[in-house]
Amino acid sequence: MIYLGLTGSIGMGKSATAQLFRDEGVPVYDADAAVHQIYEPGGSAVEAIAVEFPHAIEDGRVNRAALREIVIDDADLLKKLESIVHPLVGETQQEFCKHAEESGADIAVLDIPLLFETGGNERVDYVVVVTAPADIQRERVMARDGMTEGILEAILAKQTPDAEKRARADFIINTVIDIDYAHEQVRSLLSAIRRKHGSK
């Protein structure tokens, strides 16, 4: 099994690129979706977060926007949150890898926004970085509901800069033109990896 770590800064088109891998029949683990899952009623993170961040709980689930407001400017609180969330997300990732290997897939993708920040790049065979020019990134992000310049800058401050991500990548997917252009790059990447490793 070859594991690809897929990452990219906010607004670069990473989620759309992850779907392109799915369209090619590659199993994809979605770290953001895993977080949503453990934040839902009955989710494994709700009880622990309720103890540490009671104002972030609403109707038995974690309100992500409220939680973000609590921790975004406090490094200590963010570390406390990460100490709760990261191990639980790690468990969901291990379960995904087990199922992917049992399925007989030759390649699997771990879609992890903070791949470099959490050291996840050390646990994959190749790192794939999704990128786009900064002006396009900003335009995409600012079009999102509830987004402000302040929120965007705070998010970017906590992410490894795009230039550094690209410098550390094994493969780069550029989403500057359109989804078809990105799809061509995904197909080429998969073909190259399979040629190298002699898989299907």
Side-chain angles (χ1 to χ4, degrees), residues 40-173:
E40 286 299 302
S44 58
V46 175
E47 186 175 343
I49 289 177
V51 171
E52 298 293 346
F53 307 99
H55 297 299
I57 303 299
E58 183 178 297
D59 298 327
R61 62 168 51 83
V62 177
N63 182 318
R64 294 185 71 168
L67 184 59
R68 181 176 62 199
E69 288 298 316
I70 292 169
V71 305
I72 197 165
D73 292 319
D74 190 317
D76 290 335
L77 289 181
L78 180 60
K79 286 181 181 177
K80 182 176 290 186
L81 174 63
E82 289 172 345
S83 72
I84 296 170
V85 173
H86 286 176
L88 297 174
V89 172
E91 290 176 8
T92 68
Q93 184 178 313
Q94 290 174 6
E95 190 68 16
F96 164 85
C97 292
K98 177 184 175 184
H99 288 307
E101 291 176 12
E102 289 174 350
S103 76
D106 60 334
I107 298 173
V109 170
L110 304 181
D111 174 359
I112 304 175
L114 299 179
L115 185 75
F116 290 116
E117 295 83 349
T118 59
N121 56 300
E122 301 294 336
R123 299 189 291 275
V124 296
D125 298 291
Y126 298 100
V127 171
V128 182
V129 169
V130 182
T131 190
D135 59 332
I136 292 178
Q137 175 193 29
R138 183 169 293 273
E139 180 182 324
R140 290 171 178 170
V141 176
M142 294 308 299
R144 298 182 182 183
D145 289 340
M147 184 57 64
T148 66
E149 291 283 351
I151 293 174
L152 173 57
E153 293 305 324
I155 292 171
L156 290 175
K158 290 177 172 58
Q159 295 185 340
T160 300
D162 178 58
E164 182 179 340
K165 284 190 175 84
R166 286 185 280 111
R168 298 170 67 181
D170 297 297
F171 297 94
I172 295 173
I173 303 293

Side-chain angles (χ1 to χ4, degrees), residues 17-34:
T17 302
Q19 184 57 50
L20 296 177
F21 280 100
R22 292 188 186 94
D23 292 344
E24 292 300 312
V26 176
V28 176
Y29 170 79
D30 185 336
D32 270 347

Side-chain angles (χ1 to χ4, degrees), residues 160-196:
T160 300
D162 178 58
E164 182 179 340
K165 284 190 175 84
R166 286 185 280 111
R168 298 170 67 181
D170 297 297
F171 297 94
I172 295 173
I173 303 293
N174 195 318
T175 64
V176 64
I177 298 179
D178 55 26
I179 200 69
D180 290 335
Y181 177 57
H183 206 162
E184 291 171 9
Q185 296 169 75
V186 166
R187 291 193 184 106
S188 177
L189 180 161
L190 292 172
S191 177
I193 290 174
R194 284 169 172 149
R195 280 199 310 272
K196 178 176 179 179

